Amino acid sequence: MSEGSPGSPSRYLVEWYQPALSAALLGETERELGRSAAEVSREGTAVSLLLTLFMPDDEVAFCLFAAGSPASVELTCRRAALPFERISRAITGPDASRPGRAFGRPPAEVTSDRPGPGEVF
């Protein structure tokens, strides 16, 4: 589990509400957040966008960041004009920042959204 061990940044989950979520809006949001994170990082505080998740049926979205502080995540979101509701410290599993992995298994092994043996949702 990672929550920012010495030498590694903490994880922060950003939540916001957005009606009419779409794939196009997801791409635009990720580009703006990436641009803002790079800008904040160039100014001396490392911020990385790890994951963006839209849930269109609920009109809610989440972003997972690795950063030195919640203030740097807030600055990143404000510069991207992201109307966030809250920023929460997050603890992630070891694969949370590695694309293409789910529940510790390679993508080819992920065949269902149901928990496998020994997995709890």
Side-chain angles (χ1 to χ4, degrees), residues 100-114:
R101 306 261 314 163
F103 308 110
R105 294 176 284 167
E109 294 180 41
V110 178
T111 58
S112 171
D113 60 355
R114 297 181 133 162

PDB file of all heavy atoms in Angstrom, residues 100-114:
ATOM      1  N   GLY A 100      -2.964  -0.347 -17.037  1.00  0.00           N
ATOM      2  CA  GLY A 100      -3.138  -1.677 -17.609  1.00  0.00           C
ATOM      3  C   GLY A 100      -3.183  -2.793 -16.591  1.00  0.00           C
ATOM      4  O   GLY A 100      -3.142  -3.956 -16.944  1.00  0.00           O
ATOM      5  N   ARG A 101      -3.279  -2.473 -15.309  1.00  0.00           N
ATOM      6  CA  ARG A 101      -3.333  -3.512 -14.282  1.00  0.00           C
ATOM      7  C   ARG A 101      -4.604  -3.319 -13.465  1.00  0.00           C
ATOM      8  O   ARG A 101      -5.023  -2.203 -13.221  1.00  0.00           O
ATOM      9  CB  ARG A 101      -2.138  -3.421 -13.340  1.00  0.00           C
ATOM     10  CG  ARG A 101      -0.801  -3.425 -14.013  1.00  0.00           C
ATOM     11  CD  ARG A 101      -0.059  -4.698 -14.072  1.00  0.00           C
ATOM     12  NE  ARG A 101      -0.018  -5.424 -12.840  1.00  0.00           N
ATOM     13  CZ  ARG A 101       0.297  -6.691 -12.791  1.00  0.00           C
ATOM     14  NH1 ARG A 101       0.560  -7.342 -13.876  1.00  0.00           N
ATOM     15  NH2 ARG A 101       0.351  -7.327 -11.657  1.00  0.00           N
ATOM     16  N   ALA A 102      -5.198  -4.405 -13.071  1.00  0.00           N
ATOM     17  CA  ALA A 102      -6.365  -4.349 -12.190  1.00  0.00           C
ATOM     18  C   ALA A 102      -6.275  -5.485 -11.202  1.00  0.00           C
ATOM     19  O   ALA A 102      -6.069  -6.630 -11.577  1.00  0.00           O
ATOM     20  CB  ALA A 102      -7.657  -4.467 -13.009  1.00  0.00           C
ATOM     21  N   PHE A 103      -6.394  -5.179  -9.948  1.00  0.00           N
ATOM     22  CA  PHE A 103      -6.366  -6.183  -8.889  1.00  0.00           C
ATOM     23  C   PHE A 103      -5.129  -7.051  -8.944  1.00  0.00           C
ATOM     24  O   PHE A 103      -5.178  -8.225  -8.636  1.00  0.00           O
ATOM     25  CB  PHE A 103      -7.637  -7.046  -8.919  1.00  0.00           C
ATOM     26  CG  PHE A 103      -8.883  -6.229  -8.933  1.00  0.00           C
ATOM     27  CD1 PHE A 103      -9.675  -6.166 -10.048  1.00  0.00           C
ATOM     28  CD2 PHE A 103      -9.229  -5.483  -7.823  1.00  0.00           C
ATOM     29  CE1 PHE A 103     -10.818  -5.383 -10.057  1.00  0.00           C
ATOM     30  CE2 PHE A 103     -10.366  -4.695  -7.833  1.00  0.00           C
ATOM     31  CZ  PHE A 103     -11.155  -4.648  -8.952  1.00  0.00           C
ATOM     32  N   GLY A 104      -4.004  -6.494  -9.384  1.00  0.00           N
ATOM     33  CA  GLY A 104      -2.746  -7.220  -9.379  1.00  0.00           C
ATOM     34  C   GLY A 104      -2.603  -8.253 -10.477  1.00  0.00           C
ATOM     35  O   GLY A 104      -1.670  -9.035 -10.478  1.00  0.00           O
ATOM     36  N   ARG A 105      -3.532  -8.269 -11.434  1.00  0.00           N
ATOM     37  CA  ARG A 105      -3.462  -9.231 -12.523  1.00  0.00           C
ATOM     38  C   ARG A 105      -3.254  -8.500 -13.835  1.00  0.00           C
ATOM     39  O   ARG A 105      -3.757  -7.404 -14.017  1.00  0.00           O
ATOM     40  CB  ARG A 105      -4.781 -10.021 -12.618  1.00  0.00           C
ATOM     41  CG  ARG A 105      -5.021 -10.892 -11.402  1.00  0.00           C
ATOM     42  CD  ARG A 105      -6.356 -11.552 -11.517  1.00  0.00           C
ATOM     43  NE  ARG A 105      -7.363 -10.537 -11.199  1.00  0.00           N
ATOM     44  CZ  ARG A 105      -8.644 -10.673 -11.428  1.00  0.00           C
ATOM     45  NH1 ARG A 105      -9.119 -11.739 -12.005  1.00  0.00           N
ATOM     46  NH2 ARG A 105      -9.495  -9.725 -11.105  1.00  0.00           N
ATOM     47  N   PRO A 106      -2.550  -9.108 -14.791  1.00  0.00           N
ATOM     48  CA  PRO A 106      -2.419  -8.486 -16.107  1.00  0.00           C
ATOM     49  C   PRO A 106      -3.796  -8.322 -16.748  1.00  0.00           C
ATOM     50  O   PRO A 106      -4.721  -9.074 -16.441  1.00  0.00           O
ATOM     51  CB  PRO A 106      -1.569  -9.486 -16.893  1.00  0.00           C
ATOM     52  CG  PRO A 106      -0.898 -10.318 -15.861  1.00  0.00           C
ATOM     53  CD  PRO A 106      -1.818 -10.342 -14.664  1.00  0.00           C
ATOM     54  N   PRO A 107      -3.966  -7.351 -17.670  1.00  0.00           N
ATOM     55  CA  PRO A 107      -5.262  -7.087 -18.269  1.00  0.00           C
ATOM     56  C   PRO A 107      -5.920  -8.310 -18.904  1.00  0.00           C
ATOM     57  O   PRO A 107      -7.127  -8.453 -18.849  1.00  0.00           O
ATOM     58  CB  PRO A 107      -4.960  -6.038 -19.341  1.00  0.00           C
ATOM     59  CG  PRO A 107      -3.689  -5.414 -18.923  1.00  0.00           C
ATOM     60  CD  PRO A 107      -2.939  -6.448 -18.123  1.00  0.00           C
ATOM     61  N   ALA A 108      -5.164  -9.214 -19.503  1.00  0.00           N
ATOM     62  CA  ALA A 108      -5.739 -10.391 -20.137  1.00  0.00           C
ATOM     63  C   ALA A 108      -6.472 -11.278 -19.138  1.00  0.00           C
ATOM     64  O   ALA A 108      -7.374 -12.015 -19.504  1.00  0.00           O
ATOM     65  CB  ALA A 108      -4.651 -11.202 -20.845  1.00  0.00           C
ATOM     66  N   GLU A 109      -6.104 -11.205 -17.885  1.00  0.00           N
ATOM     67  CA  GLU A 109      -6.736 -12.036 -16.867  1.00  0.00           C
ATOM     68  C   GLU A 109      -7.991 -11.407 -16.291  1.00  0.00           C
ATOM     69  O   GLU A 109      -8.731 -12.047 -15.576  1.00  0.00           O
ATOM     70  CB  GLU A 109      -5.750 -12.314 -15.728  1.00  0.00           C
ATOM     71  CG  GLU A 109      -4.580 -13.162 -16.153  1.00  0.00           C
ATOM     72  CD  GLU A 109      -3.651 -13.389 -14.983  1.00  0.00           C
ATOM     73  OE1 GLU A 109      -4.125 -13.621 -13.860  1.00  0.00           O
ATOM     74  OE2 GLU A 109      -2.439 -13.318 -15.196  1.00  0.00           O
ATOM     75  N   VAL A 110      -8.242 -10.132 -16.567  1.00  0.00           N
ATOM     76  CA  VAL A 110      -9.405  -9.451 -16.039  1.00  0.00           C
ATOM     77  C   VAL A 110     -10.552  -9.704 -17.012  1.00  0.00           C
ATOM     78  O   VAL A 110     -10.589  -9.177 -18.101  1.00  0.00           O
ATOM     79  CB  VAL A 110      -9.158  -7.938 -15.880  1.00  0.00           C
ATOM     80  CG1 VAL A 110     -10.403  -7.250 -15.368  1.00  0.00           C
ATOM     81  CG2 VAL A 110      -7.989  -7.698 -14.948  1.00  0.00           C
ATOM     82  N   THR A 111     -11.508 -10.538 -16.610  1.00  0.00           N
ATOM     83  CA  THR A 111     -12.599 -10.916 -17.497  1.00  0.00           C
ATOM     84  C   THR A 111     -13.961 -10.525 -16.957  1.00  0.00           C
ATOM     85  O   THR A 111     -14.953 -10.686 -17.635  1.00  0.00           O
ATOM     86  CB  THR A 111     -12.579 -12.442 -17.739  1.00  0.00           C
ATOM     87  OG1 THR A 111     -12.694 -13.093 -16.472  1.00  0.00           O
ATOM     88  CG2 THR A 111     -11.303 -12.862 -18.433  1.00  0.00           C
ATOM     89  N   SER A 112     -14.024 -10.005 -15.749  1.00  0.00           N
ATOM     90  CA  SER A 112     -15.304  -9.704 -15.145  1.00  0.00           C
ATOM     91  C   SER A 112     -15.144  -8.575 -14.144  1.00  0.00           C
ATOM     92  O   SER A 112     -14.062  -8.343 -13.628  1.00  0.00           O
ATOM     93  CB  SER A 112     -15.834 -10.953 -14.422  1.00  0.00           C
ATOM     94  OG  SER A 112     -16.966 -10.629 -13.656  1.00  0.00           O
ATOM     95  N   ASP A 113     -16.249  -7.878 -13.899  1.00  0.00           N
ATOM     96  CA  ASP A 113     -16.213  -6.850 -12.871  1.00  0.00           C
ATOM     97  C   ASP A 113     -16.581  -7.421 -11.511  1.00  0.00           C
ATOM     98  O   ASP A 113     -16.695  -6.728 -10.534  1.00  0.00           O
ATOM     99  CB  ASP A 113     -17.114  -5.673 -13.219  1.00  0.00           C
ATOM    100  CG  ASP A 113     -18.575  -6.068 -13.377  1.00  0.00           C
ATOM    101  OD1 ASP A 113     -18.883  -7.269 -13.302  1.00  0.00           O
ATOM    102  OD2 ASP A 113     -19.407  -5.171 -13.570  1.00  0.00           O
ATOM    103  N   ARG A 114     -16.752  -8.739 -11.438  1.00  0.00           N
ATOM    104  CA  ARG A 114     -17.040  -9.404 -10.185  1.00  0.00           C
ATOM    105  C   ARG A 114     -15.732  -9.760  -9.471  1.00  0.00           C
ATOM    106  O   ARG A 114     -14.734 -10.064 -10.129  1.00  0.00           O
ATOM    107  CB  ARG A 114     -17.818 -10.679 -10.430  1.00  0.00           C
ATOM    108  CG  ARG A 114     -19.155 -10.409 -11.057  1.00  0.00           C
ATOM    109  CD  ARG A 114     -19.847 -11.710 -11.240  1.00  0.00           C
ATOM    110  NE  ARG A 114     -21.194 -11.560 -10.745  1.00  0.00           N
ATOM    111  CZ  ARG A 114     -22.157 -12.367 -11.042  1.00  0.00           C
ATOM    112  NH1 ARG A 114     -21.926 -13.420 -11.796  1.00  0.00           N
ATOM    113  NH2 ARG A 114     -23.358 -12.167 -10.585  1.00  0.00           N
TER     114      ARG A 114
END
